[in-house]
Amino acid sequence: VIDLATLEDRAAETLHPHALDYYRGGSGDESALADNVAAWTALRLRPHVLRDVSSVSTATTVLATPVRAPVLVAPTAYHLLAHPDGESGTARGAAEAGSVMVLSTFTTQPVEDVARAGDGAPLWFQLYVNKDRGWTAELVARVRAAGCTALVLTVDLPVLGLRLRDERNGFALPPGLARVHVPPASAYDDDLGASPGSALRAHVNRDVDASMTEDVIGWLADVGGLPVVVKGVLRGDDAVRCVEAGAAALVVSNHGGRQLDGAVATARALPEVVDAVDGRVEVYVDGGVRGGSDVVRALALGARAVLVGRPVVYGLAAGGWAGVRDVLDAYAEDTARALALCGAASVDDVTADLLAREP
Ligand SMILES: Cc1cc2nc3c(=O)[nH]c(=O)nc-3n(C[C@H](O)[C@H](O)[C@H](O)COP(=O)(O)O)c2cc1C
């Protein structure tokens, strides 16, 4: 049994302190990071009893893709920093666990290698839109050719949040590691010379298109020919704008508490977005989902699935591809357990009234 609560401690034993700070940290005072976890915990469950849960299924679909459990791999950067298996290891682990991996634009291995490691398992690609739209269009064509079946457009990063841990330790990729899917001038951190603070912040603020509006959703759908999932929505009005602009699904996310200091917890933002979307597209959520009860809470609030960021990276750090598989298996098993204990034989049996009304 993988104990999700102590996984971070196991990863901490293997990671360089700067890498651990990068993975673990949030922006500003890190209250959004802490509040993500606390907001799930604050939602109390009202389980049914005396229901037939002799057989429980966690299976569902996301964008019509079957998954073993409603738990997907959130896009996270720099997997070679966590383990030599890198993003390919994460893809293999996700494939073996029957999940969907979202590969970050800031991958340290090429999308073709990652897709091969997943051996046909569903792979989605997370996109940061570069100021050079031509570059972005070429990247989209490339990830599609590699077999990615959806684009996940991250919209909560017009500039990088102020991550004080990274600023203090001058976080940069070690020599030899690169962001392989950004323009060559931005691939390596060592070209920044004596730039103080986080090298990532310097690159992102130079390269990412902070002028984009919801028009980018239709543009991406046209150039990519793939469904566009919009990640980083926290408000109902924005959710409606995204749906009207052509989004195929939304991810309620505050980037794991790494962007706006003081952002609302995702468990609190989710109901507003689910209401506004009114069933037109699937809604997913991430941030602080740390076990099966949190998965059930998210489903009860109307999410179709959750994404998990840090625990997957910790699994990779602690055990390579098999560690990723074990973490995702643990989520699936814990979700099955929580469903059974709620008297729900499948994800379709999860209803809003499983949650206690807040006092
Ligand atoms: C180390 C790290 C790197 C991340 N890199 C990206 C990224 O490249 N693109 C992106 O859209 N989100 C990125 N995120 C945010 C995650 O996709 C996700 O929103 C968040 O981690 C979910 O919260 P959790 O870590 O509490 O599960 C990153 C998060 C972490 C922790």
Side-chain angles (χ1 to χ4, degrees):
V1 175
I2 285 223
D3 171 4
L4 292 166
T6 59
L7 187 63
E8 182 174 336
D9 299 337
R10 287 173 51 189
E13 289 164 18
T14 72
L15 288 167
H16 185 281
H18 293 186
L20 180 63
D21 265 349
Y22 172 70
Y23 293 138
R24 178 188 267 170
S27 57
D29 65 5
E30 300 193 338
S31 61
L33 173 65
D35 204 26
N36 274 348
V37 174
W40 292 118
T41 310
L43 294 171
R44 309 310 297 181
L45 289 156
R46 301 171 62 234
H48 284 289
V49 294
L50 296 175
R51 289 204 166 168
D52 181 358
V53 289
S54 53
S55 157
V56 170
S57 168
T58 57
T60 187
T61 60
V62 284
L63 292 179
T65 301
V67 282
R68 176 181 163 207
V71 181
L72 319 179
V73 176
T76 50
Y78 306 160
H79 289 194
L80 277 177
L81 197 59
H83 192 277
D85 286 355
E87 285 83 3
S88 296
T90 308
R92 180 173 174 197
E96 301 224 0
S99 181
V100 168
M101 175 183 181
V102 185
L103 179 64
S104 167
T105 294
F106 292 161
T107 176
T108 47
Q109 292 175 330
V111 61
E112 294 82 6
D113 294 1
V114 178
R116 207 169 304 121
D119 198 19
L123 183 65
W124 296 357
F125 191 84
Q126 176 268 326
L127 204 62
Y128 288 129
V129 174
N130 197 278
K131 280 178 187 149
D132 180 346
R133 284 283 173 101
W135 169 272
T136 299
E138 277 172 35
L139 176 58
V140 166
R142 179 170 171 183
V143 307
R144 184 178 173 179
C148 294
T149 52
L151 298 173
V152 178
L153 170 69
T154 299
V155 294
D156 58 9
L157 198 136
V159 296
L160 200 75
L162 191 59
R163 304 170 185 173
L164 291 169
R165 296 179 196 236
D166 300 344
E167 296 295 329
R168 289 189 189 114
N169 67 33
F171 178 69
L173 280 175
L177 285 198
R179 290 176 282 272
V180 297
H181 289 318
V182 301
S186 299
Y188 294 93
D189 284 337
D190 49 12
D191 65 356
L192 276 177
S195 164
S198 145
L200 176 64
R201 183 166 57 83
H203 277 308
V204 163
N205 292 353
R206 192 181 66 195
D207 290 358
V208 167
D209 183 359
S211 77
M212 74 185 185
T213 66
E214 68 268 27
D215 298 344
V216 74
I217 298 170
W219 176 77
L220 266 182
D222 282 350
V223 299
L226 294 173
V228 177
V229 179
V230 180
K231 172 172 180 277
V233 176
L234 291 169
R235 302 170 52 111
D237 51 3
D238 284 355
V240 168
R241 276 199 296 146
C242 292
V243 172
E244 288 174 354
L250 302 179
V251 184
V252 173
S253 174
N254 59 20
H255 216 105
R258 298 162 75 81
Q259 284 296 101
L260 174 67
D261 187 16
V264 62
T266 51
R268 293 193 213 287
L270 177 60
E272 173 182 339
V273 171
V274 167
D275 265 7
V277 161
D278 196 22
R280 283 176 286 176
V281 299
E282 293 180 353
V283 177
Y284 317 130
V285 64
D286 73 18
V289 176
R290 295 297 175 263
S293 286
D294 290 344
V295 176
V296 171
R297 289 163 162 129
L299 299 183
L301 291 178
R304 179 87 185 172
V306 304
L307 289 80
V308 175
R310 293 177 182 84
V312 170
V313 177
Y314 297 148
L316 180 68
W321 72 266
V324 171
R325 177 201 59 198
D326 292 350
V327 166
L328 292 168
D329 281 350
Y331 268 95
E333 284 157 21
D334 205 39
T335 300
R337 182 163 36 243
L339 286 173
L341 292 172
C342 282
S346 75
V347 296
D348 292 333
D349 291 341
V350 175
T351 47
D353 61 4
L354 277 180
L355 294 174
R357 256 186 243 133
E358 295 206 38

